[in-house]
Amino acid sequence: MKVAIPKERRAGELRVAASPETVKKLKGLGLDVVVESGAGLGSSLPDAAFEAAGATIAADAASALAGADIVLKVQRPLLSGEGSDGVDELALLKKGALLFAILNPHNSRDHVKAYAAAGVNAFAMEFMPRITRAQVMDVLSSQANLAGYKAVVDAATEYGRAFPMMMTAAGTVPPARAFIMGVGVAGLQAIATAKRLGAIVSATDVRPAVKEQVQSLGGSFVAVENDEFKQAETAGGYAKEMSDDYKRQQAALVAEHIKKQDIVITTALIPGRKAPILVTAEHVASMKPGSVIIDLAVEQGGNVEGSKLGETVVTANGVKIVGHANYPSRIAESASLLYAKNLLALLTALNDKEKGITVNWDDEIVKAIALTRDGAVIHPAFAG
């Protein structure tokens, strides 16, 4: 079976869906691997490295994708008229091909229909279920972990002072205060990174269970911890809807806390929906000049009032609101190496020693990530 790894063509995407290490292991599964020339350059992975691992280097997308049984990509394939170089990637995929990528179907439903129309069996890697055997395939976790780290590094770059306390003959530099809003994978890594850099770190989340995780990383937890908060989680681990009175108390606490912060990093995302506003214009106006806010949710509308996708906004009171797009791509080499391993783990799980890569459509992992099959949209969120 032929596996194709084309170059990513969407603006700002520097990652690649394979590494020399995963190419070698895919070859070990009996697969023929073809990498488009230049696919890994944005991640410091030259053609020679892929070739040394056993891949064939194709001159362009057409030759890389021609006859491919399996296509591994980072982002969804371009349709006609989308790309600056005029390549219609989907048109180059053969009928029956298996496409694995971060397909962002909630924001590209027309693409889902196009996969079905083209007879491509498409799998959205970001829909990987949170079950034990799928942890090694969990692209959201691998990429969010790096995004949380990079957000703190970017904040340190934008911030005009040092993160740690520094005692010098000329005087003492106080430590920066960093507030992480949302304690998922990205938030936890942001807490850990900011702490390692010497900041005084605090965090907030709607789930009481994360308090211990925050404290274990050296941060303080910010929440109105009354009886309602202690019961704010369902048996399944999800947050319950809080009362209006609780929301008012929590909002007042956060507003007072933000005033004292130098760095705020927001990480709250809801799949398929606009990101919730966590930091209002009033919050921003209350912050000190030179403070930095990193909005990791800016691509889904943003957690911060006034954030702009792809821009750094400096407010009238001198606060920087950073809205970089595609955070994992800002640390492309590490992100690619982890993403490639996520894909390798999935293909290894799908591999049958006698039949090769075989999709068991009744498997719970396949059911969760499969969007299309044999010309039809089959995922319940998009079918019909």
Side-chain angles (χ1 to χ4, degrees):
M1 298 181 79
K2 176 181 175 180
V3 178
I5 295 96
K7 181 166 60 179
E8 296 297 319
R9 288 176 162 78
R10 292 195 176 274
E13 185 54 76
L14 300 177
R15 291 172 290 175
V16 62
S19 68
E21 179 188 352
T22 62
V23 165
K24 192 176 295 184
K25 291 181 178 179
L26 290 172
K27 293 285 289 183
L29 296 178
L31 300 167
D32 295 321
V33 182
V34 179
V35 177
E36 183 183 353
S37 181
L41 292 181
S43 296
S44 303
L45 298 171
D47 291 350
F50 285 112
E51 197 166 23
T56 300
I57 304 302
D60 52 31
S63 52
L65 293 168
D69 304 290
I70 300 167
V71 177
L72 305 181
K73 282 185 54 57
V74 179
Q75 295 207 40
R76 65 190 186 278
L78 293 169
L79 303 186
S80 178
E82 277 196 297
S84 58
D85 58 4
V87 175
D88 183 343
E89 292 179 296
L90 184 59
L92 299 176
L93 271 61
K94 77 172 187 180
K95 186 176 181 179
L98 306 179
L99 168 66
F100 299 93
I102 301 170
L103 295 173
N104 192 18
H106 287 295
N107 296 319
S108 56
R109 290 174 180 265
D110 55 331
H111 282 68
V112 179
K113 294 178 182 177
Y115 307 145
V120 170
N121 300 319
F123 301 85
M125 290 298 294
E126 67 267 48
F127 285 179
M128 193 64 62
R130 295 289 173 88
I131 57 176
T132 301
R133 70 186 181 96
Q135 283 182 337
V136 69
M137 312 169 196
D138 187 349
V139 302
L140 288 184
S141 291
S142 74
Q143 303 302 289
N145 191 47
L146 290 168
Y149 161 80
K150 183 61 174 171
V152 175
V153 173
D154 282 353
T157 301
E158 295 287 349
Y159 187 52
R161 286 179 277 168
F163 259 48
M165 175 183 285
M166 293 185 179
M167 300 182 73
T168 75
T172 300
V173 176
R177 293 180 176 273
F179 183 38
I180 315 302
M181 304 185 74
V183 189
V185 174
L188 286 169
Q189 184 56 247
I191 293 166
T193 303
K195 191 68 181 177
R196 284 195 293 266
L197 288 178
I200 296 172
V201 184
S202 57
T204 190
D205 196 282
V206 294
R207 297 164 297 151
V210 303
K211 177 181 177 179
E212 289 185 10
Q213 293 176 297
V214 171
Q215 292 175 332
S216 71
L217 292 171
S220 60
F221 192 65
V222 178
V224 176
E225 297 185 56
N226 58 17
D227 289 338
E228 182 179 358
F229 177 77
K230 293 172 184 176
Q231 305 298 320
E233 201 164 345
T234 67
Y238 295 95
K240 290 181 181 177
E241 179 71 17
M242 306 299 280
S243 69
D244 290 340
D245 182 56
Y246 181 86
K247 289 177 182 177
R248 279 192 293 271
Q249 292 181 60
Q250 177 70 3
L253 177 64
V254 168
E256 194 60 33
H257 189 71
I258 281 181
K259 290 179 184 179
K260 306 167 188 174
Q261 303 307 303
D262 303 297
I263 308 293
V264 174
I265 296 174
T266 65
T267 72
L269 290 169
I270 303 171
R273 292 168 56 187
K274 185 180 182 299
I277 292 292
L278 303 181
V279 179
T280 66
E282 289 75 17
H283 291 148
V284 176
S286 74
M287 295 179 72
K288 296 173 288 187
S291 300
V292 177
I293 304 172
I294 307 285
D295 188 349
L296 283 180
V298 69
E299 289 179 286
Q300 283 187 218
N303 294 143
V304 183
E305 273 194 288
S307 67
K308 293 185 179 179
L309 179 61
E311 297 183 26
T312 296
V313 176
V314 181
T315 66
N317 61 317
V319 175
K320 291 182 181 178
I321 306 174
V322 180
H324 293 312
N326 194 353
Y327 248 90
S329 186
R330 292 178 61 77
I331 186 167
E333 185 172 354
S334 294
S336 293
L337 296 178
L338 294 184
Y339 180 66
K341 286 183 178 179
N342 294 144
L343 290 170
L344 171 66
L346 176 58
L347 291 184
T348 301
L350 296 178
N351 189 58
D352 182 283
K353 290 183 179 179
E354 295 181 359
K355 301 177 184 178
I357 302 298
T358 305
V359 178
N360 175 6
W361 296 96
D362 293 322
D363 183 270
E364 62 182 322
I365 290 177
V366 173
K367 282 184 174 181
I369 67 175
L371 298 181
T372 59
R373 178 188 182 187
D374 299 333
V377 177
I378 62 170
H379 196 285
F382 307 99

